[in-house]
Amino acid sequence: MTASATTLTYASLDEVVPATSSPRFAGLLPKIETKSSLDSTTNQSADTGFDHHFVKLRSLLKNSSLWPDGAEAPSVEAQQQALVMLGQLHADRFLPTRIVASAEGGVAICFSKDNKYADIEFLNTGEILGVVSNRRDRPIAWEIEPSARDLARASARIRKFLDASPSP
Amino acid sequence: MTLHGRLLGFASSSTHPRPLRMIQGNRQPDDRFRPKDQLYRRCKIEEIIDGHLTGVSLRLDDMSTNWSKYSKPWDVIFDYPGYGIARFRVLDLPTDLPTEDPPGATVASHSFRPQHRPCQNNYAHTEIWAFSEGQRKPRVNSNTVKKEFRQLMSDRSLVLYLP
């Protein structure tokens, strides 16, 4: 087969999500083809821009140089939630700008476009917070439920915000 | 460029003595902040997007900065080579968060003020404290307040020197 636009080349999901994954996320983990499913004759990859985000997400747990000073390490649970969100974004073909560790402990997925900014933060406490800002007016923050439906809504909300024409 | 040159000159205590202005000595705390005073903070390249510190790189509780009244911007990276410098202004600190109550909840208004907290080797050290209903709140419980505060500070931040 030829690689489709939805095929990723990043390392196996098993490497991203430890075997001890909470069953809480079992139904939410993204169904994404892994490297072994790519065309071995052409070695063709289909990097849609997400590969390095998955790699970064994996490295955030262990690489303390990526954490803000004084921050606690991101938890496996926060990483798993971020992985679910990344799967949602991949399904939506909505590429984030950066994935980082949070100063409050956790993982954040950041977006920016035309001087507008948004992020979704997966805290070690299990809370998920979203924010959008045009850098001029007050930002809008909201809480996100750890459900596939709410994560999809958050993706759509942020995309709509970033794609909207700038206000005069 | 002048700033860059000075930064290179004050990179580390292994090569340069700590500037005298950083030593507290017998000096007491001073809480006479002016709105245009600046608050400096060191940062990593990872923490900057579009020339702003990211909100997710900021921790609300007792956020640590250096007060411009008693320091130079590059004091925050003394002994932290490879870091950058960002700044806020005192007038940027929000006084009425959250903007709106979250659905189904009522949250008391929070304000934020600088508090001079000198350290022996860093007299300019200043924390940003949260207040609500006339009391200091060492811990802010409202997720909406925390998230709005961090994003507002991000929006109002300016990176003076890239890591």
Side-chain angles (χ1 to χ4, degrees):
Chain A
M1 79 177 222
T2 54
S4 72
T6 57
T7 306
L8 288 175
T9 58
Y10 64 90
S12 165
L13 203 58
D14 294 339
E15 294 176 40
V16 179
V17 182
T20 54
S21 294
S22 164
R24 180 181 177 191
F25 302 101
L28 294 177
L29 288 173
K31 295 178 177 60
I32 301 169
E33 292 182 53
T34 57
K35 204 168 190 171
S36 59
S37 64
L38 289 177
D39 189 333
S40 60
T41 56
T42 62
N43 197 31
Q44 188 174 6
S45 67
D47 181 1
T48 54
F50 279 83
D51 296 25
H52 70 282
H53 290 309
F54 282 98
V55 172
K56 175 81 174 287
L57 181 56
R58 185 175 58 208
S59 64
L60 281 181
L61 281 198
K62 294 179 181 175
N63 188 347
S64 60
S65 72
L66 296 175
W67 309 341
D69 287 351
E72 64 180 67
S75 68
V76 171
E77 184 176 64
Q79 184 203 39
Q80 287 176 329
Q81 289 177 323
L83 178 64
V84 171
M85 188 70 218
L86 206 48
Q88 177 67 50
L89 296 171
H90 182 254
D92 294 342
R93 299 188 182 184
F94 181 26
L95 191 64
T97 301
R98 193 180 300 166
I99 294 183
V100 297
S102 163
E104 295 276 2
V107 174
I109 301 177
C110 307
F111 307 80
S112 72
K113 182 181 178 184
D114 300 334
N115 208 32
K116 288 186 279 189
Y117 174 89
D119 70 54
I120 302 174
E121 195 171 17
F122 303 87
L123 298 173
N124 291 348
T125 56
E127 293 155 315
I128 307 174
L129 306 175
V131 71
V132 294
S133 171
N134 63 12
R135 304 283 194 194
R136 290 181 285 113
D137 305 316
R138 287 291 183 99
I140 299 169
W142 75 100
E143 295 196 36
I144 300 167
E145 293 296 320
S147 67
R149 190 176 67 170
D150 231 31
L151 293 178
R153 280 182 181 166
S155 169
R157 179 174 183 169
I158 289 174
R159 170 172 260 171
K160 184 178 178 184
F161 172 79
L162 294 177
D163 286 348
S165 302
S167 53
Chain B
M1 276 296 120
T2 302
L3 175 60
H4 188 250
R6 287 179 180 270
L7 286 167
L8 293 176
F10 287 102
S12 166
S13 57
S14 64
T15 56
H16 291 79
R18 184 173 292 270
L20 279 177
R21 63 177 173 272
M22 295 184 72
I23 308 298
Q24 179 177 12
N26 296 322
R27 293 184 288 177
Q28 298 301 306
D30 168 11
D31 281 329
R32 287 167 294 180
F33 287 90
R34 295 168 301 185
K36 289 189 176 178
D37 283 349
Q38 309 203 41
L39 301 168
Y40 304 117
R41 183 177 169 88
R42 66 174 164 269
C43 57
K44 300 178 180 181
I45 192 73
E46 177 85 350
E47 300 169 358
I48 299 169
I49 291 181
D50 295 339
H52 296 268
L53 278 184
T54 59
V56 294
S57 73
L58 302 173
R59 190 164 186 271
L60 183 149
D61 296 329
D62 302 339
M63 199 173 100
S64 202
T65 64
N66 267 10
W67 185 5
S68 61
K69 184 174 181 179
Y70 295 112
S71 67
K72 300 295 184 187
W74 46 91
D75 291 350
V76 293
I77 60 170
F78 189 81
D79 275 345
Y80 288 88
Y83 279 68
I85 303 168
R87 74 106 166 108
F88 312 106
R89 294 172 303 182
V90 169
L91 60 84
D92 291 333
L93 298 176
T95 56
D96 55 348
L97 295 183
T99 306
E100 291 180 10
D101 285 334
T106 302
V107 178
S109 178
H110 288 66
S111 62
F112 295 84
R113 299 201 288 270
Q115 183 75 28
H116 189 208
R117 302 276 287 168
C119 299
Q120 192 176 354
N121 281 328
N122 185 13
Y123 179 65
H125 182 251
T126 296
E127 294 176 350
I128 296 172
W129 285 5
F131 295 83
S132 181
E133 298 174 323
Q135 300 286 320
R136 183 193 167 205
K137 297 287 179 186
R139 292 259 170 199
V140 172
N141 294 322
S142 165
N143 282 330
T144 306
V145 170
K146 284 198 277 191
K147 193 68 176 164
E148 282 190 14
F149 169 80
R150 295 162 71 212
Q151 187 57 42
L152 269 174
M153 296 310 291
S154 163
D155 293 343
R156 295 168 180 180
S157 68
L158 177 68
V159 175
L160 300 177
Y161 181 73
L162 282 170

